[in-house]
Amino acid sequence: MLRQLSAHAPRVAFNFKSRRLVHGGCGQRLTTRALSSATVSPPSKAIVYDVHGPPDTVTKLVEVPAVEVKEKEVCVKMLAAPINPSDINRIQGVYPVRPDPPAVGGYEGVGEVLSVGSSVTSLSSGDWVIPSPPSFGTWQTYIVKNENVWHKIEKGVPMEYAATITVNPLTALLMLEHCVTLNSGDSIVQNGATSMVGQCVIQLAKSRGIHSINIIRDRPGVDEVKEMLKNLGADEVFTESELEVKNVKSFLGGIPEPALGFNCVGGNAASLVLKFLRQGGTMVTYGGMSKKPVSVSTSSFIFKELSLRGFWLQKWLSADKAEESRGMIDRLLSLVQEGKLKYKMELASFDDFSTALDKALGKLGSQPKQVIKF
């Protein structure tokens, strides 16, 4: 359960500049005097973890005092931020790149500019912005960072989509456009089709005239799941058990053999993707939800000349891709506004973060993406 500060607990403040927690009231009084004549942020609240561990155990709500907004900085009032699997992994300490604790959780989101430093020219009060590339520490009510961190977006975009556009939808678009050259009439195959990336892949492929073959796990209500994916634009949807046959390509009908496959599960689900691929096809792995390895037959390499590669959004973004990614984000948000890109989410109040976290952890069964509204 998320721990909150009681009226008698010592104040715990997060220092935005050093990314360190400062304990005790004396330090805060000094900070208040120092900031009395400067532009400052409002006091804030944040979800912080002092050590790595189970998110529902180590996270806590803390109060954050005002900080100075320097000449090239922007104070943003956060509007919404999601709870992604990678956020959970960072808190657990198992994600390859993570801030050192103590740290504020969250990695993407959307906010509204509250105030700007004296030298800021690209943004104004009232603008909607997202951290692009994504930035650590979005689970807090106010954030002060340099203006180059923030990307201005149209205010007409639904808030929950603006908050979630920079990780999963961007991953789907990049994998479709940067891994293999695809043309209208080509096809792709993927497992984990009900994930947010999977749903985005279906719709983005459909918009380009690319067929999609989708693999899902066996589950109750599977017919409803299939119908949902087909309504998004999926050409074919199969359960893993339906594909336990010698020749899966007999299911393709008039769809060409896929040149490209996406794997976010591993294990048997990855092997099924490989079975569909055409001669010389490529499978891209971007996740491992089953925590099982990818096994490939020798014949797949020798006789089918299949290629295997990985994709990690954070590594791509770190390769000086900020401007390119912002252009792609704007494209994705335009598709959202046109009704051509959608996925299921659930908005939760910041005051109800504990319940949203439990849902994101799977403690309350299968749930939509949890998006915190501040």
Side-chain angles (χ1 to χ4, degrees):
M1 181 178 295
L2 184 71
R3 296 170 290 157
Q4 297 194 22
L5 289 179
S6 71
H8 304 290
R11 183 172 300 277
V12 183
F14 189 81
N15 187 310
F16 289 87
K17 306 307 176 185
S18 64
R19 302 195 63 82
R20 276 297 189 265
L21 291 179
V22 180
H23 299 262
C26 180
Q28 188 191 4
R29 287 195 297 273
L30 289 172
T31 301
T32 301
R33 288 199 297 269
L35 298 178
S36 60
S37 61
T39 300
V40 297
S41 72
S44 184
K45 294 181 179 180
I47 302 296
V48 169
Y49 53 102
D50 294 315
V51 296
H52 290 127
D56 53 345
T57 301
V58 301
T59 54
K60 58 186 176 183
L61 177 64
V62 305
E63 296 178 7
V64 180
V67 296
E68 181 182 357
V69 182
K70 295 183 178 179
E71 61 179 4
K72 293 295 289 182
E73 291 182 331
V74 176
C75 176
V76 173
K77 179 184 185 297
M78 292 302 292
L79 300 174
I83 304 176
N84 287 321
S86 56
D87 297 324
I88 292 170
N89 293 155
R90 287 186 179 92
I91 297 171
Q92 292 168 332
V94 299
Y95 203 72
V97 176
R98 56 189 181 269
D100 293 328
V104 177
Y107 188 57
E108 66 173 333
V110 62
E112 182 175 354
V113 174
L114 184 71
S115 61
V116 300
S118 58
S119 298
V120 173
T121 58
S122 62
L123 296 170
S124 302
S125 178
D127 288 344
W128 274 25
V129 292
I130 59 176
S132 176
S135 182
F136 298 130
T138 56
W139 293 351
Q140 53 189 317
T141 51
Y142 294 93
I143 300 177
V144 175
K145 290 190 177 182
N146 193 283
E147 69 173 319
N148 61 17
V149 169
W150 304 105
H151 174 50
K152 181 179 176 180
I153 63 170
E154 294 292 331
K155 295 181 73 171
V157 178
M159 178 178 61
E160 61 271 30
Y161 282 93
T164 57
I165 204 71
T166 57
V167 173
N168 292 298
L170 184 58
T171 292
L173 183 59
L174 284 165
M175 291 195 305
L176 277 170
E177 295 192 350
H178 287 248
C179 294
V180 170
T181 300
L182 297 172
N183 300 307
S184 179
D186 288 340
S187 66
I188 62 97
V189 57
Q190 66 169 343
N191 58 35
T194 57
S195 68
M196 188 181 289
V197 172
Q199 292 180 53
C200 291
V201 164
I202 290 169
Q203 295 169 86
L204 295 172
K206 183 74 172 181
S207 70
R208 293 180 53 192
I210 297 168
H211 303 285
S212 67
I213 300 105
N214 301 275
I215 304 168
I216 61 175
R217 62 179 175 83
D218 293 271
R219 68 188 76 191
V222 70
D223 290 336
E224 290 79 3
V225 175
K226 287 185 176 184
E227 183 178 5
M228 181 271 289
L229 294 178
K230 289 190 174 183
N231 287 337
L232 292 179
D235 290 272
E236 297 289 350
V237 184
F238 303 107
T239 64
E240 292 180 22
S241 63
E242 288 174 329
L243 298 176
E244 294 298 333
V245 297
K246 186 173 182 180
N247 182 18
V248 298
K249 292 182 180 179
S250 63
F251 290 103
L252 288 175
I255 299 175
E257 294 180 20
L260 179 62
F262 300 132
N263 164 51
C264 68
V265 180
N268 180 60
S271 299
L272 294 174
V273 170
L274 292 170
K275 286 182 179 181
F276 273 105
L277 290 178
R278 75 185 187 192
Q279 183 82 18
T282 298
M283 184 176 78
V284 179
T285 292
Y286 66 97
M289 292 189 295
S290 72
K291 299 183 180 179
K292 295 180 180 178
V294 174
S295 298
V296 188
S297 67
T298 301
S299 62
S300 294
F301 285 121
I302 297 176
F303 303 117
K304 289 188 68 177
E305 298 180 297
L306 298 184
S307 297
L308 275 67
R309 58 170 294 183
F311 179 83
W312 185 23
L313 178 65
Q314 188 159 335
K315 183 176 181 180
W316 185 87
L317 289 171
S318 67
D320 197 25
K321 299 286 188 179
E323 287 305 315
E324 184 177 354
S325 69
R326 291 180 177 189
M328 299 180 83
I329 286 168
D330 290 340
R331 285 171 53 195
L332 289 165
L333 290 174
S334 294
L335 290 174
V336 168
Q337 290 182 293
E338 294 167 11
K340 296 179 180 178
L341 182 63
K342 55 187 177 181
Y343 35 87
K344 192 173 182 180
M345 294 172 283
E346 182 177 69
L347 279 171
S349 168
F350 188 42
D351 294 333
D352 200 24
F353 183 87
S354 294
T355 301
L357 181 60
D358 284 346
K359 290 180 178 180
L361 291 169
K363 295 169 65 175
L364 301 176
S366 179
Q367 299 286 338
K369 171 73 68 179
Q370 297 297 300
V371 180
I372 304 303
K373 182 179 179 181
F374 295 93

